[in-house]
Amino acid sequence: MKKTLFGLVTLLVLLLVVITIRTVRFTPEPVANVSAAAPIGLDSAGAVERFARALTFPTVSPQNPADRDTAAFLAFHAMLEESYPLVHERLERETVNQLSLLYRWQGRNPDLDPILLMGHMDVVPVIPGTEDDWTQPPFGGVVADGFVWGRGAVDDKLTVISILEAIEQLLSDGFTPNRTVYLAFGHDEEVGGREGAGVIADLLAERIDRPFAFVLDEGGAITEGVIRGIQSPIAIVGIAEKGFASLELRIEGAGGHSSTPPPHTTIGILAEAVTRLEQNPFPLRLDGAVEEMLLRLGPHQGLVNRIVMANLWLFRPLVARQMAADPLMASMVRTTTAVTMFNAGVKDNVLPITASAVVNHRILPGETVESVIQRVTEIIDDERISVRPVSTVADPSPVSDPSSPAFQLIERTTRETFPREDLIMTPYLVMGGTDAKYYSGRSPNVFRFLPVMLGEEGMERVHGTDERVELASLMRSVRFFHRLLRNAEGLQGSSGLGD
């Protein structure tokens, strides 16, 4: 008995020693000394004016493509051509699938892998009836109170205009990149991107027989006061994104009069299936991009969190369960299940012949659309109910390496254009979808980031009422892309991955 007790105490002491040592060593990664980027002579007033004008075009992506205002997109194209004469004189531009734009900036060295910068021109609709809730008209492009107001101010005309402003300035400076640079601006990202970014990706796959050195799209930002326990600004760079699958569950029955109902109508059977799905969520998993994020943020938190994050080998299940208790955090550690539509019945005294429901899944990296369909079918376990995708589906993206030279390039550029000593850079998992998903197989370095400052209030405005961006964020975004392309001259090797 004494030997057993002694052994247990010894193991406990050893465990405490290991935990303590790992916690002491769990410190923030050293940050390379960087200086603020030198001024680049931008026409700030002109940039603000051009950006504000860009927000006046209602380039909305409706759910039904037939309702798209094609004229608004074509007018926006014309505005870009007028506003950026050097870009349109010296870069090759083509219209893809009628409304998307693809630019090619020939580099000095054709043996180096090219760079791809992405953005999208379309915006989400303004909810009918909420127009008067806006402080400024949603398509007014108004500059007021230190902001530019309008739909698309952040998502995502900010990216498109920032890239073009930066390249116009670089061309004016006489700069030609070492690597060929492609610009891909899709027209339907807000409804999946298949007809815009998807077609451009297929086109580039036919033309380019080598990987991109890196791909950079929207998807991350600089946040402040959003992560509990950390007051420093945090630049979150997406290194992966979840997959997407909306599945229709459908059942057909005999119908008939409600006066002689069966024990379970089609609605009742389908409701039971939906309940089973909600009661059997996908398993928790804490790894990949989410683990990388926790390991980057952990050293900046309080002692208890540092102990836990430094010892995920021991506390991983506990952390996963704690994250699962919060809806936002839960979406980071499991494939989510959301019942979004239910359709059945035509009259109160008629038994419905058919009933259907749509269940949306955001798929964690490591799983697939196929594995999700298989699990849903097994949980429902009812041959009367069919399961099929009802929209474009996408597997989760691979996880890009946050220690790669390409990620370090983004980090260096961010620190040079947002020179705060307390800035924290971290990778993260994008819960929504971006056009970058179409390039998962075209580069090992696919990232999602734009250095716009967003707090909780700013995040709520994206896709919501009063979308706006600070003038300082607009100019920082322009400087970011200007500096990024200059810094990219230092990427080594044909793939940008180092020699």
Side-chain angles (χ1 to χ4, degrees):
M1 180 68 178
K2 291 183 178 180
K3 289 184 178 180
T4 302
L5 182 61
F6 177 77
L8 290 174
V9 171
T10 301
L11 287 175
L12 179 60
V13 170
L14 288 174
L15 179 61
L16 291 175
V17 169
V18 170
I19 291 174
T20 301
I21 292 174
R22 291 180 64 91
T23 302
V24 170
R25 292 179 175 177
F26 192 52
T27 57
E29 293 188 1
V31 176
N33 291 326
V34 296
S35 301
I40 58 176
L42 285 173
D43 174 14
S44 299
V48 171
E49 180 182 353
R50 288 184 287 271
F51 179 63
R53 185 181 171 199
L55 302 186
T56 65
F57 297 90
T59 52
V60 174
S61 268
Q63 199 60 42
N64 183 356
D67 296 332
R68 182 179 289 114
D69 184 356
T70 300
F73 282 87
L74 297 179
F76 183 59
H77 294 181
M79 175 261 174
L80 296 181
E81 187 170 3
E82 175 191 341
S83 299
Y84 304 103
L86 292 180
V87 169
H88 290 83
E89 175 187 334
R90 301 183 192 177
L91 274 64
E92 300 173 18
R93 184 184 99 162
E94 64 180 298
T95 303
V96 178
N97 204 11
Q98 299 183 317
L99 297 179
S100 288
L101 295 176
L102 174 63
Y103 295 80
R104 181 175 181 271
W105 191 5
Q106 178 63 50
R108 303 189 309 272
N109 190 341
D111 294 329
L112 295 178
D113 294 341
I115 292 167
L116 176 63
L117 302 180
M118 301 177 63
H120 64 88
M121 300 176 288
D122 62 317
V123 300
V124 297
V126 174
I127 299 174
T130 67
E131 294 86 354
D132 291 341
D133 296 336
W134 286 64
T135 302
Q136 303 292 346
F139 292 104
V142 174
V143 181
D145 304 321
F147 295 89
V148 186
W149 302 71
R151 177 63 84 221
V154 176
D155 188 12
D156 179 43
K157 287 180 179 175
L158 178 60
T159 301
V160 174
I161 297 300
S162 296
I163 290 172
L164 293 174
E165 287 284 345
I167 294 179
E168 186 79 7
Q169 182 63 47
L170 286 166
L171 290 169
S172 178
D173 296 339
F175 175 80
T176 300
N178 196 20
R179 300 171 184 273
T180 296
V181 178
Y182 288 88
L183 314 177
F185 302 145
H187 72 271
D188 65 337
E189 190 272 350
E190 297 294 359
V191 289
R194 178 62 260 180
E195 300 304 316
V199 174
I200 293 176
D202 292 341
L203 189 65
L204 291 178
E206 295 174 1
R207 296 177 180 177
I208 306 172
D209 60 356
R210 61 194 317 150
F212 290 101
F214 68 88
V215 176
L216 181 60
D217 194 9
E218 58 154 348
I222 300 175
T223 66
E224 195 166 24
V226 174
I227 304 297
R228 186 179 303 172
I230 300 179
Q231 298 305 313
S232 299
I234 304 171
I236 56 174
V237 181
I239 61 172
E241 65 181 76
K242 298 182 82 171
F244 180 99
S246 284
L247 306 180
E248 181 192 61
L249 315 183
R250 186 177 182 84
I251 181 173
E252 294 191 8
H257 200 282
S258 63
S259 61
T260 55
H264 297 286
T265 66
T266 54
I267 294 177
I269 295 170
L270 190 59
E272 287 183 350
V274 166
T275 300
R276 285 196 292 274
L277 287 180
E278 292 186 331
Q279 291 177 342
N280 292 275
F282 280 72
L284 299 174
R285 202 175 76 247
L286 200 170
D287 56 15
V290 177
E291 181 177 4
E292 289 282 356
M293 180 185 72
L294 295 179
L295 293 177
R296 294 283 184 108
L297 296 179
H300 300 276
Q301 296 182 301
L303 178 60
V304 173
N305 277 351
R306 287 207 310 274
I307 292 173
V308 171
M309 297 308 168
N311 295 277
L312 277 180
W313 62 276
L314 178 63
F315 298 114
R316 188 184 304 272
L318 172 64
V319 174
R321 287 196 296 272
Q322 286 183 331
M323 292 179 71
D326 178 87
L328 176 60
M329 295 292 105
S331 64
M332 296 184 182
V333 290
R334 67 159 40 111
T335 292
T336 55
T337 300
V339 183
T340 56
M341 298 175 69
F342 208 108
N343 184 33
V346 294
K347 198 172 185 295
D348 63 348
N349 65 346
V350 176
L351 298 175
I353 295 176
T354 63
S356 64
V358 174
V359 185
N360 179 255
H361 298 276
R362 300 302 175 105
I363 308 169
L364 206 63
E367 299 169 14
T368 65
V369 172
E370 183 178 351
S371 69
V372 167
I373 294 175
Q374 180 179 349
R375 178 179 170 83
V376 168
T377 303
E378 290 173 353
I379 291 174
I380 291 174
D381 192 25
D382 192 329
E383 294 182 353
R384 295 170 295 180
I385 299 175
S386 63
V387 179
R388 69 178 186 90
V390 291
S391 62
T392 300
V393 297
D395 284 328
S397 75
V399 180
S400 297
D401 183 3
S403 64
S404 68
F407 187 94
Q408 293 169 6
L409 168 69
I410 294 170
E411 178 170 0
R412 173 189 168 191
T413 303
T414 303
R415 293 189 181 281
E416 290 175 342
T417 52
F418 191 83
R420 285 271 299 268
E421 291 184 0
D422 58 341
L423 176 67
I424 303 168
M425 294 285 301
T426 180
Y428 90 114
L429 173 66
V430 178
M431 260 68 77
T434 72
D435 278 344
K437 61 179 171 286
Y438 294 106
Y439 294 90
S440 295
R442 298 302 315 282
S443 175
N445 301 303
V446 180
F447 301 110
R448 304 151 184 87
F449 178 68
L450 182 67
V452 59
M453 175 66 81
L454 288 178
E456 286 189 59
E457 181 194 28
M459 291 179 178
E460 292 173 357
R461 292 174 186 268
V462 178
H463 284 203
T465 298
D466 275 348
E467 186 175 351
R468 66 184 187 179
V469 67
E470 286 185 305
L471 296 178
S473 285
L474 167 61
M475 301 317 301
R476 183 187 307 117
S477 297
V478 176
R479 291 194 300 272
F480 172 83
F481 285 108
H482 185 280
R483 193 67 182 170
L484 181 75
L485 289 170
R486 283 205 173 271
N487 286 343
E489 299 290 280
L491 276 177
Q492 301 297 312
S494 61
S495 65
L497 301 177
D499 291 322

